[in-house]
């Protein structure tokens, strides 16, 4: 199945989650479940943008008498008349009569009289309601809540926020060869990299997760684990055991547990045996066991899927870069992903990379170069697309 059809099948199976109300500061990383309206104008009054003197713009050529001082949080008591000014602080309400704040750096003051020494065109006043009007929508349902959205919610007077429920990820790794990092590695054993990697990826995406441990390569083990955890988990993620080997029990396990398999096999590299299925209220991914496959597939497929469940259209950031090296491959049937290093001037450098077991290559990479199916060769200087894994961001196109 080509990558775009895989994405359509997986994203298309998502059902919107319910919603809950959380405390404002707990809302970071979540997705708004409703439009948010402002209860006030922003700014709520004509506000000085500078420390200086509020006066009439027609009076700049003459000495100005200081009639009062207005601090942030205070209210002016006097109206500014001809030849008058008020000393004013950043964030303080501008007195009536004044249409300009001259910044203190552009003045000289002596004995309660101010002279303007330098004229600027800027009025240094943030006008009432110039950012947002009371009753206006400040944030749209489906918005990912990041620190600036938290700031806007606070300014709109929200102490709690309606957000969609976040799916709980259940992370399990399969393989009789696996030992946990804390155990001593016996001959023939491989340390479990994928469990900790997936937990870190879930945490990086702000998604709650539970580690479900190592599943042995034997019939029945996968379905037993699913039944044990199913009340608590929304999205199961298995690593390993999804290919066609004699000991690959994940596809059968999902079917035993009543999952309908929508994807098994994808024209992507790494990740050909990718498995995805769903049953009422639960979803399951089977990712091939090599750590690079797990890393890449989580970033490009699992994360967009989890955000779709929450009602937010997330795609990883994709940038255009100039390739710094020549690239050739023999088989080009699949969309390939390889590690690259990005330079500040927009070049992508290939790294030493031995294939999907070589996760160490990604410790030097900051991007995933995507090579579309049927492209066999790339030359130095060619324009390429690079996926930059990272924290959740705005939906593409917005
Ligand atoms: P599999 O997809 O089960 O055939 O595994 C493919 C390769 O990935 C094998 O070499 C496994 O030993 C390796 N592998 C599987 N699971 C893990 C894991 N959790 N951590 C590190 N390597 C793994
Ligand atoms: Mg295996």
């Amino acid at each position: 199945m080509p990558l775009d059809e895989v994405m359509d099948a997986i994203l298309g199976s998502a059902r919107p989650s319910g919603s809950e109300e959380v405390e404002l500061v707990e809302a970071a990383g979540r997705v708004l479940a409703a439009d948010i309206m402002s209860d006030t104008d922003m700014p709520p009054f004509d506000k000085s943008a500078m420390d200086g003197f509020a006066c009439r713009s027609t009076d700049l050529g003459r000495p100005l008498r200081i009639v009062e001082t207005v601090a942030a949080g205070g209210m002016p008591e006097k109206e500014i008349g001809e030849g008058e000014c008020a000393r004013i602080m950043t964030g303080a309400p501008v007195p009536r009569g004044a249409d300009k704040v001259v910044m203190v750096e552009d003045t000289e003051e002596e004995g309660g009289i101010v002279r303007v020494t330098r004229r600027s065109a800027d009025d240094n006043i943030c006008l009432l309601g110039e950012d947002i009007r009371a009753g206006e929508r400040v944030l749209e349902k489906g918005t990912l809540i990041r620190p600036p959205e938290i700031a806007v919610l606070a300014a709109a007077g929200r102490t709690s926020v309606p957000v969609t429920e976040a799916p709980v990820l259940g992370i399990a790794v399969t393989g009789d060869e696996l030992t946990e990092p804390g155990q001593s590695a016996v001959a023939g054993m491989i340390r479990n990299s994928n469990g900790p990697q997936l937990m870190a990826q879930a945490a990086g995406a702000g998604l709650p997760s539970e580690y479900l441990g190592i599943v042995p390569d034997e019939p029945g083990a996968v379905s037993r684990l699913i039944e044990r955890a199913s009340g608590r988990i929304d999205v199961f993620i298995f690593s390993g055991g999804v290919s066609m080997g004699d000991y690959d029990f994940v596809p059968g396990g999902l079917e035993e547990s009543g999952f309908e398999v929508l994807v098994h096999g994808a024209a992507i590299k790494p990740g050909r045996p990718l498995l995805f299925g769903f049953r009422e209220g639960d979803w399951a991914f089977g990712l091939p066991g090599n750590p690079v496959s797990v890393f890449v597939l989580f970033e490009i497929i699992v994360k967009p899927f989890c955000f779709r469940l929450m009602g937010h259209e997330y795609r990883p950031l994709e940038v255009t870069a100039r390739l710094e090296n020549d690239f050739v491959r023999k088989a080009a049937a699949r969309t390939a992903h390889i590690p690259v290093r990005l330079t500040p001037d927009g070049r992508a450098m290939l790294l030493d990379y031995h294939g999907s077991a070589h996760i160490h290559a990604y410790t030097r990479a900051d991007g995933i170069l995507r090579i579309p199916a049927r492209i066999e060769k790339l030359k130095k200087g060619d324009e390429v697309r690079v996926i930059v894994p990272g924290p959740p961001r705005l939906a593409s196109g917005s």
Side-chain angles (χ1 to χ4, degrees):
M1 210 190 260
L3 178 54
D4 51 352
E5 283 177 33
V6 167
M7 289 303 286
D8 288 349
I10 291 176
L11 295 177
S13 79
R15 299 284 169 272
S17 60
S19 64
E20 57 183 338
E21 193 83 11
V22 297
E23 299 266 304
L24 176 62
V25 289
E26 304 293 315
R30 305 291 294 272
V31 174
L32 276 178
D35 289 346
I36 302 292
M37 310 299 174
S38 179
D39 68 341
T40 57
D41 294 314
M42 292 184 205
F45 48 83
D46 290 343
K47 191 178 78 171
S48 177
M50 292 288 172
D51 295 325
F53 297 93
C55 64
R56 299 182 174 199
S57 54
T58 49
D59 274 0
L60 300 183
R62 56 192 281 185
L64 300 170
R65 191 169 60 83
I66 305 172
V67 297
E68 66 170 335
T69 295
V70 195
M75 277 305 284
E77 283 170 4
K78 306 214 168 85
E79 182 169 344
I80 300 300
E82 233 175 277
E84 293 177 342
C85 68
R87 190 193 308 277
I88 193 164
M89 310 301 151
T90 304
V94 175
R96 278 192 299 138
D99 62 352
K100 184 165 182 103
V101 172
V102 180
M103 56 197 269
V104 68
E105 292 86 342
D106 292 347
T107 62
E108 267 170 20
E109 181 194 339
E110 209 190 321
I113 302 294
V114 172
R115 277 170 215 286
V116 177
T117 53
R118 195 183 139 267
R119 296 207 190 181
S120 96
D122 207 331
D123 63 13
N124 297 320
I125 298 172
C126 307
L127 294 175
L128 178 140
E130 76 178 5
D131 298 342
I132 300 290
R133 282 285 177 192
E136 222 179 282
R137 184 173 72 184
V138 282
L139 293 170
E140 201 178 335
K141 178 179 169 175
T143 298
L144 177 67
I145 304 172
R146 302 165 308 155
E149 283 79 17
I150 295 279
V152 169
L153 288 162
R158 305 299 301 227
T159 55
S160 69
V161 190
V163 297
T164 56
E165 280 162 7
V168 178
L169 276 47
I171 290 165
V173 296
T174 74
D176 284 343
E177 75 279 31
L178 298 179
T179 65
E180 294 293 10
Q183 298 167 336
S184 57
V186 193
M189 304 295 270
I190 296 278
R191 288 232 172 84
N192 168 23
S193 291
N194 292 338
Q197 175 172 240
L198 283 164
M199 292 298 286
Q201 285 182 290
L207 298 166
S209 65
E210 186 183 330
Y211 178 55
L212 302 172
I214 297 174
V215 188
D217 287 328
E218 60 188 41
V222 166
S223 56
R224 279 198 302 276
L225 175 125
I226 290 174
E227 290 336 309
R228 263 204 322 274
S230 76
R232 320 190 297 272
I233 303 299
D234 302 297
V235 180
F236 287 93
I237 302 177
F238 291 93
S239 93
V242 292
S243 310
M244 299 299 181
D246 292 347
Y247 296 95
D248 291 328
F249 293 109
V250 178
L254 291 192
E255 271 167 21
E256 258 172 67
S257 298
F259 281 79
E260 183 185 340
V261 170
L262 297 183
V263 176
H264 192 191
I268 50 178
K269 183 182 172 132
R272 182 175 7 219
L274 172 70
L275 176 71
F276 175 78
F278 87 114
R279 63 177 191 182
E280 198 56 41
D282 290 330
W283 292 267
F285 285 90
L287 312 178
N290 273 312
V292 173
S293 310
V294 163
F295 174 70
V296 171
L297 294 176
F298 188 92
E299 292 302 320
I300 66 174
I301 299 178
V302 179
K303 237 155 93 172
F305 172 74
C306 292
F307 280 99
R308 170 67 73 91
L309 289 180
M310 295 192 282
H312 174 70
E313 290 306 303
Y314 164 84
R315 294 290 182 281
L317 176 64
E318 219 177 296
V319 299
T320 298
R322 295 257 167 226
L323 194 60
E324 190 59 15
N325 320 76
D326 294 334
F327 171 86
V328 197
R329 59 172 172 164
K330 285 180 225 105
R334 294 186 275 162
T335 302
H337 299 91
I338 57 176
V340 290
R341 180 142 211 155
L342 289 168
T343 64
D345 60 352
R347 286 171 297 135
M349 293 186 297
L350 296 183
L351 298 165
D352 184 34
Y353 174 57
H354 314 147
S356 63
H358 190 197
I359 191 64
H360 199 240
Y362 269 97
T363 65
R364 302 193 190 91
D366 42 27
I368 306 171
L369 169 64
R370 173 168 281 174
I371 305 161
R374 289 177 296 282
I375 301 288
E376 282 173 18
K377 271 188 221 165
L378 292 167
K379 285 211 294 296
K380 178 180 161 100
D382 280 355
E383 196 167 271
V384 291
R385 303 288 284 169
V386 178
I387 295 162
V388 186
R393 49 182 289 273
L394 293 181
S396 52
S398 65

